[in-house]
């Protein structure tokens, strides 16, 4: 009986130790998972997405206790499949890339990425064509016969945007001499090296400032602001609209009032992005709008009332929707 009693106590002690060890192991696992870094996919350094991603990553780490880094790629066309698969939780892209990805259209033809989910509209992405400040190219029409960036093998969304711009003055790519480049960053570098007479980039990005310093000054070619121009834009790039721009420290190249071709840029994830991550991103942006704009000028155009819009086939992440219901942006 004494032997049985002792063995019983040993067994109970082992059981208790096993439970304690298991609980400790589980606690360690949960803590490690909580501390695991998440990443935001962006375009290459110098791009507007890269600058935006840096600010969001810093603030998510400091304010939301989410250790966040950025992961640059050539363009959203490259990283959208990885986000759809759940390999990367967050990214930044424009509305055309995202809706085309969901529907399997344009450069995503036959490859629909139906798990892509919007989290928040970030700001209007303002596309412009830049030339040297002292160039004799004064209008978009003056690009006829000139060397222009073309190809965009890793950033296909740029081609219809350029087609839309050219169409506003009755031009097509066949009217110019195309210089093949993979993405907007390479196009800006080709321009700086004197290989092209223009380059295409988002207004407010870091890269145009770099080019401005390198070549002694740049300026934008203003879009014509007419009903006919808007019709031409919609034919080639339906999300696009004409936006007025004014000279300001953040608008390098805008030397006088003019017009850009604008469309929405978004922070997005996938159905596999954890609800708490999507919720945290929406909450961070909503509660820190002014600080976002202070840290990165394009975010000065971010508007909390426009964080959620009806984008048809592109639906919102349930984690983001939960926050929007809490603050009354969604009923």
């Amino acid at each position: 009986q004494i032997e049985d009693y002792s063995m019983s106590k040993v067994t109970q002690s082992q059981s208790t130790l096993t439970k304690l060890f298991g609980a400790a192991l589980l606690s360690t696992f949960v803590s490690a998972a909580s501390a695991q870094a998440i990443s935001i996919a962006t375009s290459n350094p110098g791009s507007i997405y890269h600058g935006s991603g840096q600010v969001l990553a810093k603030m998510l780490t400091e304010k939301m206790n989410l250790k966040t880094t950025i992961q640059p790629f050539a363009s959203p066309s490259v990283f959208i499949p990885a986000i759809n698969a759940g390999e990367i939780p967050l990214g930044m892209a424009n509305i055309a890339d995202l809706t085309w990805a969901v529907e399997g259209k344009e450069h995503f033809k036959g490859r629909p990425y139906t798990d892509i989910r919007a989290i928040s509209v970030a700001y209007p992405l303002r596309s412009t064509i830049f030339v040297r400040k002292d160039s004799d190219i004064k209008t978009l029409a003056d690009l006829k016969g000139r060397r222009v960036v073309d190809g965009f093998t890793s950033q296909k969304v740029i081609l219809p945007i350029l087609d839309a711009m050219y169409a506003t003055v009755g031009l097509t790519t066949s009217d110019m001499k195309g210089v093949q480049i993979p993405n907007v960053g390479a196009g800006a570098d080709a321009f700086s090296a004197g290989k092209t007479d223009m380059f295409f980039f988002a207004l407010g990005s870091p890269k145009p400032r770099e080019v401005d310093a390198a070549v002694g000054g740049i300026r934008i070619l203003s879009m014509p602001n007419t009903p006919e121009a808007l019709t031409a834009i919609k034919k080639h790039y339906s999300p696009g609209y004409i936006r007025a721009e004014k000279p300001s420290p953040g608008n390098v190249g805008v030397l006088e009032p003019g017009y850009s071709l604008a469309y929405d840029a978004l922070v997005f994830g996938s159905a596999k992005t954890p609800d708490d991550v999507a919720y945290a991103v929406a909450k961070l942006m909503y509660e820190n709008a002014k600080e976002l704009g202070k840290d990165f000028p394009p975010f000065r155009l971010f508007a909390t009332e426009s964080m959620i819009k009806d984008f048809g086939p592109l639906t919102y992440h349930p984690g983001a929707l939960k926050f929007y219901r809490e603050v009354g942006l969604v009923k």
Side-chain angles (χ1 to χ4, degrees), residues 116-136:
I116 292 298
R117 298 290 183 268
I119 293 177
S120 174
V121 174
Y123 42 69
L125 196 60
R126 302 165 295 152
S127 293
T128 53
I129 287 174
F130 295 89
V131 297
R132 289 176 180 265
K133 183 179 179 180
D134 58 359
S135 172
D136 61 351

Side-chain angles (χ1 to χ4, degrees), residues 172-295:
T172 68
T173 52
S174 62
D175 293 311
M176 291 153 279
K177 300 172 183 177
V179 176
Q180 302 298 301
I181 47 93
N183 53 48
V184 294
D189 291 338
F191 175 82
S192 294
K195 297 178 182 179
T196 68
D197 299 310
M198 55 75 88
F199 73 100
F200 170 96
F201 227 93
L203 194 62
S205 304
K207 191 69 172 181
R209 187 177 299 278
E210 175 189 316
V211 177
D212 183 72
V215 304
I218 57 175
R219 58 179 165 80
I220 69 165
L221 298 180
S222 178
M223 299 282 298
N225 182 25
T226 65
E228 293 78 15
L230 183 58
T231 298
I233 289 170
K234 294 294 185 183
K235 179 179 178 181
H236 292 276
Y237 191 69
S238 59
Y241 57 92
I242 300 168
R243 188 180 189 280
E245 306 295 348
K246 296 180 180 180
S248 73
N251 283 348
V252 173
V254 182
L255 307 184
E256 58 185 21
Y259 298 93
S260 66
L261 191 161
Y263 43 97
D264 287 328
L266 286 83
V267 181
F268 74 103
S270 78
K272 301 174 185 68
T273 300
D275 286 2
D276 60 338
V277 171
Y279 180 95
V281 172
K283 180 179 175 65
L284 172 86
M285 295 178 69
Y286 184 87
E287 294 180 348
N288 297 276
K290 288 185 178 180
E291 188 170 344
L292 285 168
K294 181 180 179 181
D295 288 351

Side-chain angles (χ1 to χ4, degrees), residues 26 66-67 86 90 115 119 148 150-151 221 230 244 272 274 316 318:
L26 178 60
L66 284 174
K67 186 178 178 183
L90 301 170
D115 279 346
I119 293 177
V148 301
D150 198 6
L221 298 180
L230 183 58
K272 301 174 185 68
Y316 272 74

Side-chain angles (χ1 to χ4, degrees), residues 61-135:
T61 299
E62 294 176 352
K63 295 180 179 291
M64 308 305 291
N65 200 29
L66 284 174
K67 186 178 178 183
T68 310
T69 58
I70 57 171
Q71 191 170 345
F73 293 82
S75 76
S77 302
V78 177
F79 62 71
I80 281 175
I83 291 182
N84 184 79
E87 296 167 6
I88 304 172
L90 301 170
M92 291 201 67
N94 69 72
I95 183 56
D97 260 332
L98 294 176
T99 52
W100 290 341
V102 171
E103 295 180 300
K105 294 182 177 180
E106 299 294 334
H107 45 282
F108 298 106
K109 187 175 182 179
R111 297 176 293 122
Y113 295 103
T114 56
D115 279 346
I116 292 298
R117 298 290 183 268
I119 293 177
S120 174
V121 174
Y123 42 69
L125 196 60
R126 302 165 295 152
S127 293
T128 53
I129 287 174
F130 295 89
V131 297
R132 289 176 180 265
K133 183 179 179 180
D134 58 359
S135 172

